[in-house]
Amino acid sequence: MRLYRRPLAAVLGGLVLALTATGSALAVGGTFAWTGPEGKTYSIQNPPDNKCFDMAQEARGARNATKKTLVVYTQKRCKGTATRLAAGKSAPSGARFASVIFNPR
């Protein structure tokens, strides 16, 4: 049984490392929040990298509490005027946007 311990430990260690690296590459980590209709706050937890999201309704005051940069756009499909928000930064409370991309390439 002793002969199998080392290879098994190496395989399990590699699997854990692979899953950890994959998880961090798939999600930005943290929270993206904004203000919607009637002043209600909305948020997304751990948004995926490099994916454009269109807002279904009025959105303003983007707050980037993720660990990476994001970009909000004035038009849907990540078009129009772009505003880049570094990790931990916020757009002015009245600044409207129609789409957002997290950790753009």
Side-chain angles (χ1 to χ4, degrees):
M1 191 68 174
R2 181 180 280 177
L3 295 174
Y4 295 111
R5 285 187 189 162
R6 217 175 240 163
L8 182 59
V11 168
L12 289 176
L15 182 60
V16 169
L17 182 60
L19 290 175
T20 303
T22 302
S24 64
L26 295 176
V28 172
T31 304
F32 171 66
W34 68 95
T35 304
E38 299 178 19
K40 186 174 178 183
T41 300
Y42 295 88
S43 65
I44 299 173
Q45 294 286 329
N46 302 321
D49 279 349
N50 203 39
K51 180 174 180 178
C52 182
F53 288 92
D54 287 341
M55 308 312 285
Q57 54 194 2
E58 170 193 337
R60 56 188 160 77
R63 294 178 297 283
N64 184 5
T66 70
K67 297 174 185 171
K68 297 186 181 176
T69 300
L70 64 83
V71 180
V72 293
Y73 293 87
T74 55
Q75 297 175 14
K76 293 194 182 277
R77 296 191 174 115
C78 293
K79 306 256 187 229
T81 304
T83 302
R84 192 173 215 52
L85 294 177
K89 299 296 181 182
S90 297
S93 62
R96 296 181 186 272
F97 65 98
S99 58
V100 60
I101 190 167
F102 302 94
N103 197 29
R105 294 185 184 150

